[in-house]
Amino acid sequence: MAGIAPNRRALVCAAAGAALLLTPSLAAADDGGDLSAQQLAQQAKKNLLDAKSVHLKLTDRSAGTSASRTQPTSMDLALDQDGNCAGTLRMAGKGGSVELIKRGEEVWMKPDTAFWKSQVPGGQGDAVAELFKNRYIHGSTKDAMLKGLADTCDLGAFQKEVDSGSSTEGKSLKKGAETEVEGTKVIPLTGSEDGKKAVLYVTSDAPHRLVEATQRGGGTDTTLTFADYDKPVPSKTPSPDETVDIGKLQQELQNV
């Protein structure tokens, strides 16, 4: 088994969805107010690209994701441009969840029983889950089995995907009335492309930042929220007593 963790595909796909509206080519975007929809989108994009770190939450109810064992249906991660992160990923169906911590080139993951059962074949998942119960698997970014998780922590890749989002001639954004998202005053920017409706919620006050992005239609159903811009990723790592070296896991899996 080459790996037991999801790659960063879900994160990059979410970034691509946000990029659809953050890189607009507008036919008629100015709906009044101090800033046009285009100006708000441009400022939100700049502030996202400039962010040194961010707390990102993804909920993906898309049909393709819900049928996959390797893509997370939800992520709750604090991550930065140095590749550090801390948080949780939850898989589709009975795929379970896994806690993730990455500092530099070191990676710690703590799967639950359901995750082990879905990833380890032959009905041996329960035995592996019991063996590593309540302990983190510790290794480095050089370990093939941890590489997928390590890649999920790549804020730089997320920002690159947003930055490379292509605009479409004639695409327009509609600026809505001020509302709130979790107590924050925001302006919704609504648009569509390829049968998918997307809404960006950008803070009403400067600096204008993206708070939430949703995309619906064409088999896609995602919600992405952003908070704690430039707030450092938690630096606490598990103690040696809480961890098991990745080599021990590899030995056990060879016997499965």
Side-chain angles (χ1 to χ4, degrees), residues 4-59:
I4 58 174
N7 58 35
R8 63 180 174 86
R9 178 179 175 274
L11 199 62
V12 171
C13 287
L20 289 177
L21 291 184
L22 284 172
T23 314
S25 175
L26 302 179
D30 195 342
D31 290 67
D34 294 333
L35 294 176
S36 68
Q38 182 181 31
Q39 290 170 324
L40 284 169
Q42 289 173 339
Q43 290 191 25
K45 176 180 178 179
K46 181 181 184 302
N47 287 322
L48 181 56
L49 295 180
D50 288 346
K52 302 301 181 183
S53 60
V54 70
H55 185 175
L56 182 151
K57 294 182 181 179
L58 167 69
T59 302

Side-chain angles (χ1 to χ4, degrees), residues 23-187:
T23 314
S25 175
L26 302 179
D30 195 342
D31 290 67
D34 294 333
L35 294 176
S36 68
Q38 182 181 31
Q39 290 170 324
L40 284 169
Q42 289 173 339
Q43 290 191 25
K45 176 180 178 179
K46 181 181 184 302
N47 287 322
L48 181 56
L49 295 180
D50 288 346
K52 302 301 181 183
S53 60
V54 70
H55 185 175
L56 182 151
K57 294 182 181 179
L58 167 69
T59 302
D60 190 346
R61 299 185 179 90
S62 304
T65 303
S66 61
S68 172
R69 291 194 313 158
T70 61
Q71 296 303 320
T73 56
S74 68
M75 295 190 294
D76 186 340
L77 291 174
L79 62 167
D80 65 24
Q81 289 185 334
D82 293 326
N84 302 310
C85 76
T88 305
L89 295 84
R90 181 168 296 279
M91 313 307 290
K94 297 181 179 180
S97 63
V98 55
E99 293 182 36
L100 172 64
I101 298 172
K102 180 176 177 290
R103 299 297 300 180
E105 294 185 353
E106 292 189 273
V107 184
W108 294 261
M109 70 169 187
K110 185 166 72 172
D112 63 8
T113 298
F115 184 92
W116 285 123
K117 290 177 67 174
S118 69
Q119 296 292 326
V120 180
Q124 300 300 311
D126 282 323
V128 174
E130 183 63 28
L131 181 64
F132 299 110
K133 185 178 181 180
N134 295 326
R135 290 192 289 178
Y136 290 85
I137 305 301
H138 176 226
S140 76
T141 54
K142 297 179 181 179
D143 295 309
M145 297 181 68
L146 295 177
K147 181 173 174 53
L149 279 175
D151 287 347
T152 304
C153 294
D154 195 345
L155 176 60
F158 180 92
Q159 291 170 321
K160 183 177 179 180
E161 189 69 27
V162 170
D163 194 28
S164 64
S166 60
S167 60
T168 299
E169 192 67 31
K171 180 169 60 178
S172 63
L173 289 176
K174 181 178 180 181
K175 180 180 172 183
E178 184 180 69
T179 184
E180 288 191 1
V181 172
E182 296 185 357
T184 299
K185 292 183 179 181
V186 295
I187 299 295

Side-chain angles (χ1 to χ4, degrees), residues 29 177 192 221 232 240:
S192 62
D221 185 352

